[in-house]
Amino acid sequence: MIITGDLTHDGSEESYRLLDKTIKEHFEKPVYYVMGNHDNRVNFSNVFGYIERDEKIYYTAKTDNIILVALDTGITESQIGFLDDAQFEWLREIFKNKFSRPVILVSHHPIYTGDDLNVLSRQLPDSNAIYN
């Protein structure tokens, strides 16, 4: 299960713990959480154990079947998403590898390409760079 951000209403450690406990009571498979723009990075990291890099939380997770690449597109107190240079460089390094299983790329904000999506371009305006 992959949950892509805005995990709780208030971003408190207590609410993240309750979410994690509730999910794990009902699902036996691993759960992967991705940062949203309304999540609290410090509390998120404290509860779920993800490592913060350059004030962002992005990571890879490998299973027998897939490689998950989770991005942190959130900007604190903002509705729009953004991928910073550090994450782009990190992605470039990851995709230099050859993979024997599918790679799933996830983020809270939509990742897309094309000028015809003018409304969505405000959500993640630099998404075309992913494909370069």
Side-chain angles (χ1 to χ4, degrees):
M1 176 183 300
I2 303 166
I3 303 176
T4 59
D6 292 354
L7 303 179
T8 71
H9 182 69
D10 66 359
S12 68
E13 285 191 24
E14 180 182 350
S15 64
Y16 288 136
R17 281 191 194 95
L18 179 59
L19 168 71
D20 197 43
K21 177 180 181 265
T22 302
I23 295 288
K24 288 178 177 174
E25 284 174 356
H26 297 284
F27 297 96
E28 295 178 11
K29 301 290 184 184
V31 179
Y32 301 96
Y33 299 106
V34 178
M35 282 292 302
N37 55 309
H38 297 290
D39 287 308
N40 179 297
R41 284 185 181 84
V42 172
N43 294 341
F44 186 98
S45 182
N46 288 343
V47 172
F48 301 122
Y50 296 116
I51 298 170
E52 205 173 332
R53 312 176 208 197
D54 304 317
E55 299 181 10
K56 295 282 190 170
I57 297 175
Y58 50 99
Y59 62 91
T60 60
K62 297 176 183 177
T63 73
D64 291 340
N65 301 317
I66 64 153
I67 297 171
L68 173 69
V69 178
L71 302 173
D72 182 346
T73 58
I75 300 173
T76 304
E77 302 300 322
S78 176
Q79 296 297 320
I80 65 168
F82 181 77
L83 284 176
D84 57 24
D85 291 339
Q87 283 186 85
F88 274 123
E89 187 56 38
W90 178 76
L91 276 175
R92 285 186 191 99
E93 289 300 314
I94 288 172
F95 286 110
K96 284 181 182 178
N97 299 308
K98 300 247 186 230
F99 299 106
S100 60
R101 55 198 153 190
V103 176
I104 299 176
L105 179 66
V106 296
S107 70
H108 178 64
H109 295 88
I111 296 173
Y112 63 90
T113 185
D115 295 330
D116 58 334
L117 300 172
N118 291 325
V119 173
L120 291 176
S121 69
R122 291 185 301 241
Q123 289 294 310
L124 197 57
D126 58 345
S127 65
N128 283 324
I130 288 175
Y131 301 99
N132 296 332

